[in-house]
Amino acid sequence: MIDKNARVLLIYTGGTIGMVENLETGALEAFNFSHLKSNVPEMRRLHFNVDAYLFDPPFDSSEVGPRKWQDIARVVEENYDGYDGFVILHGTDTMAYTASVMSLMFENLTKPIIFTGSQLPIGKLRTDGKENLITALEIAADKDKDGRPVVPELCIYMQNLLMRGNRTTKVNSENFSAFNSPNYPYLAEAGVGIRYHDKFILQPDYSKPVVINSRLDNNVAVLKLFPGIQEHVVKSLLSVPGLRGVVLETYGLGNAPTDRWFIDALQEAIDKGIVIVNVTQCLYGSVEMHRYETGQHLEKLGVVSGHDITTEAALAKLMILQGNGRSPDQVRELMTVSLRGELTER
């Protein structure tokens, strides 16, 4: 049920969806998004209010980082009380990172924040941008019979699928189906109508306010294992000055080499207070370090199981927890707990 009095704030950060082709050079350039409704005339048929906030200049998603995440969160925070929902247009390349970080910034979120974008510019004839934009706006304005948002979560909507933001990863650089949620069901599927899967949608405590905390500490790194990885590569990464957290991408169920130099390097890092979180390189499935001896070695060292969390969400969670002054022991404990539905607890 879409309330005709609903107000949605459309936030344009940049990305392919806001590009047009320069007819002389063939290059993609940002167009004046203040003329959005003339470029997407279908928006005139929406029966609710849509206002726009434009980042000027817009930024490519490959340039995103802590400062820009904080800027986006600040726009939502400053307008939170004035709108029923938010749609954020963002480049697809790092959308899963941004969605993961921002989902952890907002505690007890009571309104929808929907990220979307496109693989083709909105000015292209075959663009996927128009459908993504229109449906994202409708989801942001949709309410249940009690007048509450149907999806009070931070999500990504792309190509007919609504996914929890901190569960998504980009899986395709060319197809319109660019994102997937490997280890958590879709929150909604759009066809002739929008079919919501209510039992998978997080519900806030409406008696309590939303808490927004955008402090971040990005002294983190990703160490992806591969057969033949050299000792000096591992040790040089783990000895980066100021490093506080590492996402260790392991094989299968969380397995890793048992070479003495490797075990010693991890132990030395953990003894220095660096939190090491084990995530699987597999797109689907979960870390279960107790299953094999190679994983048990990591567990005994104090490597933390990331369960089925994505690399994007694991990085985001480390940044948020460290930014809030948590001790290494507290970070280790909270990395195994679901804060915003980002992992499945065992």
Side-chain angles (χ1 to χ4, degrees):
M1 180 180 68
I2 297 178
D3 182 357
K4 66 180 181 179
N5 296 315
R7 298 186 69 203
V8 175
L9 182 62
L10 177 64
I11 301 171
Y12 175 63
T13 67
T16 299
I17 194 169
M19 297 290 181
V20 291
E21 186 175 3
N22 185 312
L23 296 180
E24 294 183 0
T25 66
L28 295 178
E29 302 172 348
F31 72 86
N32 186 345
F33 228 76
S34 62
H35 299 132
L36 175 64
K37 291 185 179 179
S38 64
N39 286 277
V40 190
E42 293 87 347
M43 286 185 64
R44 298 192 184 97
R45 300 175 62 185
L46 294 173
H47 302 299
F48 53 89
N49 304 298
V50 179
D51 295 328
Y53 180 96
L54 319 176
F55 275 81
D56 187 18
F59 54 86
D60 188 270
S61 67
S62 61
E63 298 173 338
V64 78
R67 181 62 60 84
K68 288 186 170 61
W69 290 329
Q70 291 166 336
D71 290 342
I72 299 170
R74 191 174 301 113
V75 173
V76 175
E77 181 178 15
E78 291 174 351
N79 292 278
Y80 194 81
D81 293 336
Y83 290 90
D84 297 282
F86 302 85
V87 171
I88 301 177
L89 302 182
H90 191 287
T92 59
D93 285 349
T94 58
M95 187 185 290
Y97 290 93
T98 300
S100 294
V101 168
M102 287 194 56
S103 73
L104 290 158
M105 287 180 175
F106 289 78
E107 182 181 350
N108 198 48
L109 186 64
T110 57
K111 298 179 181 181
I113 301 176
I114 314 296
F115 278 81
T116 194
S118 68
Q119 295 287 71
L120 275 178
I122 210 162
K124 288 279 192 179
L125 185 61
R126 294 181 51 253
T127 184
D128 54 327
K130 288 186 179 182
E131 191 279 326
N132 287 342
L133 172 59
I134 295 297
T135 306
L137 288 168
E138 289 191 338
I139 291 171
D142 214 352
K143 297 182 180 179
D144 62 20
K145 58 182 174 55
D146 298 318
R148 289 174 171 169
V150 176
V151 189
E153 280 205 45
L154 190 146
C155 306
I156 288 178
Y157 176 81
M158 287 284 288
Q159 191 63 15
N160 306 324
L161 299 175
L162 183 71
M163 297 158 277
R164 179 170 296 161
N166 56 40
R167 288 286 195 154
T168 59
T169 190
K170 187 173 182 180
V171 296
N172 202 303
S173 63
E174 294 182 340
N175 291 351
F176 289 157
S177 300
F179 289 86
N180 205 344
S181 174
N183 291 311
Y184 196 77
Y186 305 131
L187 303 186
E189 297 174 73
V192 175
I194 300 175
R195 183 157 53 96
Y196 294 101
H197 305 304
D198 296 333
K199 65 181 179 180
F200 300 125
I201 299 172
L202 286 176
Q203 293 298 325
D205 184 345
Y206 286 100
S207 68
K208 297 179 180 179
V210 61
V211 177
I212 304 170
N213 193 331
S214 60
R215 293 190 297 256
L216 295 165
D217 180 347
N218 62 332
N219 285 296
V220 297
V222 176
L223 176 56
K224 183 173 183 138
L225 299 183
F226 59 89
I229 192 169
Q230 296 187 59
E231 180 177 352
H232 70 271
V233 172
V234 174
K235 288 187 174 181
S236 63
L237 185 142
L238 294 177
S239 61
V240 169
L243 185 67
R244 297 185 62 195
V246 173
V247 176
L248 180 66
E249 290 194 351
T250 57
Y251 311 126
L253 292 170
N255 300 311
T258 56
D259 301 81
R260 189 71 256 168
W261 66 262
F262 182 74
I263 297 297
D264 288 345
L266 294 184
Q267 187 67 73
E268 184 179 347
I270 291 170
D271 290 344
K272 289 192 298 185
I274 295 173
V275 177
I276 301 178
V277 182
N278 188 350
V279 304
T280 177
Q281 294 179 15
C282 300
L283 188 59
Y284 292 84
S286 178
V287 164
E288 297 181 33
M289 290 189 286
H290 63 278
R291 290 279 294 274
Y292 293 95
E293 184 180 0
T294 53
Q296 291 173 6
H297 281 288
L298 301 182
E299 196 170 30
K300 291 175 182 176
L301 291 177
V303 173
V304 178
S305 173
H307 301 297
D308 58 357
I309 197 170
T310 64
T311 294
E312 295 93 329
L315 281 169
K317 196 169 180 179
L318 284 172
M319 291 186 194
I320 290 286
L321 294 176
Q322 292 173 179
N324 283 275
R326 301 284 188 173
S327 70
D329 285 341
Q330 290 173 324
V331 173
R332 289 188 190 97
E333 180 181 355
L334 290 171
M335 286 301 298
T336 67
V337 177
S338 178
L339 301 180
R340 312 283 188 273
E342 72 281 359
L343 59 82
T344 306
E345 294 183 39
R346 299 298 181 188

